[in-house]
């Protein structure tokens, strides 16, 4: 009931948006503790990013969650599209 509150939904949306905005500059273990921006600059890093995006897409396919990232938006920000 609380989770369906418009105020809670808006707060969640803002938190998720902030997470994905910061994600580009966070060290990710799956990227050998480099940031997505750093990884996008090398061939090996781009391969790791693609593998990570596949994991995200597989997770998204199994969950109906409106807070999941748009993979194409992530790729565009990193210059991968």
């Amino acid at each position: 009931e609380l989770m369906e509150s418009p105020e809670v939904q808006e707060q969640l949306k803002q938190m998720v948006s902030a997470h994905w905005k910061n994600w580009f500059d966070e060290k990710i273990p799956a990227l050998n503790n480099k940031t997505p921006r750093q990884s996008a600059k090398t061939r090996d890093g781009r391969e790791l990013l693609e593998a990570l995006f596949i994991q995200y897409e597989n997770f998204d396919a199994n969950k109906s969650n409106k807070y999941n990232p748009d993979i194409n938006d992530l790729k565009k920000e990193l210059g991968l599209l």
Side-chain angles (χ1 to χ4, degrees), residues 39-48:
S39 296
K41 294 178 181 177
T42 67
R43 183 172 43 113
D44 288 345
R46 287 188 295 275
E47 288 179 10
L48 290 172

